[in-house]
Amino acid sequence: RTMCEKCARISFARVKMKLVEYRIPMPLNVEEYEIGLLYSVAETSKQETGGGEGVEVLHNFPFKNIPVYGGRHSSGQYTYKIYHLSRKVPYWVRALAPAGAFRIHEESWNCFPYTKTVLHNPYMKENFYLEIETYHSNGLEHEDNILEISDADLKIRQICKIDISQNYSSDFSSSCDPTTFLSQTTNRGPLTEGWIEKADPVMVVFKAIRTNFQWFGLQEKIESLILKNQFRVLSHFHQQLYCWIDSWHGLTIQDIRRIEEETAAELEYQRKYGNIRGTLITDETA
């Protein structure tokens, strides 16, 4: 647990860092979203794991006395995962980078409605990091800097809005299409033009992603690839989260912890014995 406390307080060097803040309206309230988020993380982890690739869950336990978000929160749920990605990245990346670069370690502190996630790679050490801060807020009225980004970082911040009713990439699936989906449990949907202003309930996910990749000759291309795929993954994930509402609506946090335990065991089996599956990291333009 010492490691998680140390990483929670990391302040990365801001050398050539890129910062994108995603804003994602959702036709949910914050309390619903928390359950939907945890359920959907478990489900998508299963979709992405097999054949030696995917998600390995090492730790998942409550923490306390680790201040985050300016000291407003100090307790929540800590997770430590390893993402095995060697066959999911483009060929040109595999050809140029060593095998050790494709095991990404993720530590996350969920103090809902605030969460912080840090991804790093033991092989690259300080030459690679990805830091994600997220805040979830009911309604559409909000502060412009709800994540309290520093003045220096605000100068490089790019704001990117994601509308889950839009088809942004080849991941878009008719089975998870918010423009045709009608929830049987909540009677919400379909999401038609202008849904953001009409939805009740409605909330916004604010997600600031800082990335830095220092590798001679590859830095700009890899950082661009990371951010492009973040946009792709975030839009598709939130489409799934919403369209799976009939599967998770009404679940309790105790139900979610049970699902997480079952999922961790399934992931371990699929990673060792299953077939490779899931999303590939591509050069596709989001």
Side-chain angles (χ1 to χ4, degrees):
R1 302 198 182 193
T2 303
M3 182 183 294
C4 82
E5 181 173 355
K6 178 182 177 182
C7 288
R9 292 170 174 161
I10 282 178
S11 178
F12 292 110
R14 304 307 193 198
V15 180
K16 296 185 178 179
M17 178 191 71
K18 294 186 184 299
L19 169 57
V20 179
E21 180 182 310
Y22 296 93
R23 297 181 177 181
I24 313 167
M26 294 292 291
L28 309 167
N29 62 47
V30 167
E31 292 73 24
E32 291 172 328
Y33 181 90
E34 179 179 16
I35 297 297
L37 170 67
L38 297 172
Y39 175 87
S40 300
V41 166
E43 286 299 305
T44 54
S45 294
K46 289 187 283 188
Q47 292 178 354
E48 297 295 329
T49 301
E53 302 289 277
V55 185
E56 178 182 1
V57 181
L58 297 183
H59 301 296
N60 184 357
F61 55 74
F63 73 87
K64 58 182 179 179
N65 300 322
I66 301 177
V68 295
Y69 195 43
R72 291 179 180 80
H73 302 284
S74 59
S75 62
Q77 193 77 8
Y78 169 75
T79 57
Y80 192 124
K81 302 175 182 178
I82 299 177
Y83 293 89
H84 301 265
L85 305 174
S86 60
R87 284 183 283 176
K88 286 178 172 283
V89 299
Y91 172 77
W92 63 267
V93 178
R94 296 199 303 270
L96 293 172
F102 304 126
R103 287 191 292 274
I104 305 301
H105 292 235
E106 177 197 274
E107 295 184 79
S108 183
W109 300 262
N110 185 342
C111 311
F112 212 83
Y114 172 85
T115 64
K116 178 176 180 177
T117 300
V118 175
L119 292 95
H120 54 91
N121 175 259
Y123 181 87
M124 295 192 65
K125 299 179 181 178
E126 69 277 2
N127 291 321
F128 165 74
Y129 72 81
L130 188 73
E131 177 190 281
I132 306 169
E133 287 189 282
T134 309
Y135 195 85
H136 309 84
S137 179
N138 281 321
L140 297 175
E141 298 295 326
H142 54 79
E143 302 172 21
D144 183 60
N145 188 19
I146 199 167
L147 285 164
E148 300 183 352
I149 296 169
S150 70
D151 290 342
D153 285 356
L154 283 175
K155 293 178 180 178
I156 62 169
R157 178 184 68 170
Q158 302 174 58
I159 295 176
C160 180
K161 297 180 181 180
I162 295 178
D163 179 349
I164 64 169
S165 71
Q166 299 300 306
N167 179 353
Y168 291 114
S169 78
S170 59
D171 294 321
F172 193 86
S173 169
S174 59
S175 64
C176 281
D177 183 351
T179 66
T180 59
F181 171 74
L182 174 63
S183 168
Q184 300 302 306
T185 58
T186 66
N187 200 35
R188 295 177 204 170
L191 302 186
T192 57
E193 186 176 354
W195 74 266
I196 296 174
E197 289 73 27
K198 301 171 186 175
D200 183 21
V202 68
M203 59 166 288
V204 180
V205 180
F206 298 88
K207 191 174 291 288
I209 300 181
R210 297 173 172 87
T211 183
N212 185 45
F213 184 96
Q214 297 185 44
W215 195 285
F216 182 73
L218 287 178
Q219 179 168 344
E220 287 294 324
K221 192 164 186 178
I222 292 291
E223 288 181 342
S224 176
L225 183 68
I226 289 171
L227 292 173
K228 221 188 296 184
N229 280 275
Q230 281 290 335
F231 180 95
R232 173 190 175 197
V233 168
L234 286 173
S235 58
H236 185 52
F237 176 82
H238 283 85
Q239 288 164 350
Q240 291 178 310
L241 188 158
Y242 172 62
C243 292
W244 289 343
I245 190 171
D246 290 342
S247 297
W248 58 257
H249 198 269
L251 295 180
T252 66
I253 196 66
Q254 290 75 25
D255 295 327
I256 291 296
R257 297 301 174 220
R258 174 182 52 78
I259 290 171
E260 289 175 337
E261 289 182 10
E262 294 170 353
T263 299
E266 182 176 343
L267 293 177
E268 186 66 11
Y269 180 86
Q270 289 294 338
R271 191 172 57 82
K272 289 181 177 179
Y273 306 111
N275 296 321
I276 189 169
R277 56 184 175 178
T279 305
L280 300 179
I281 300 171
T282 72
D283 293 306
E284 173 188 310
T285 301

